[in-house]
Amino acid sequence: MLARVTARGGIVAHLDVAIVSEAPRIGPHRDSIRARIADIAGIDVTRVAVKATTSEKLGFIGRSEGMAAFATATVRLPWKD
């Protein structure tokens, strides 16, 4: 995704990541996850938000068989009329 944005002259302005997991707990690793994502995206760590939740014991995530992650990026592209 980052290559496609920069190829069009754009920047990633903000990343918002949600991690769904019963275990392990994400809280103790949150800052290192934010730092790594910021490093990969080439943006300041203050522009990356990471939050975590559980699936309330539902489905494969609730059975601790896996994890899920959702990410939203705010992208700024040059304006052309």
Side-chain angles (χ1 to χ4, degrees):
M1 177 200 78
L2 185 59
R4 291 177 68 186
V5 171
T6 55
R8 291 190 55 196
I11 63 165
V12 175
H14 185 266
L15 293 171
D16 185 59
V17 180
I19 302 171
V20 185
S21 172
E22 296 293 327
R25 308 261 322 152
I26 300 301
H29 309 286
R30 182 176 169 270
D31 290 337
S32 61
I33 292 170
R34 284 180 69 212
R36 184 66 182 126
I37 291 171
D39 185 48
I40 291 168
I43 61 177
D44 190 81
V45 71
T46 61
R47 296 185 175 269
V48 178
V50 173
K51 55 191 162 218
T53 189
T54 67
S55 65
E56 302 294 330
K57 306 284 186 196
L58 298 174
F60 74 95
I61 297 171
R63 293 188 303 269
S64 296
E65 295 173 356
M67 300 169 76
F70 303 93
T72 303
T74 302
V75 175
R76 295 192 177 139
L77 296 174
W79 184 263
K80 295 180 185 175
D81 284 331

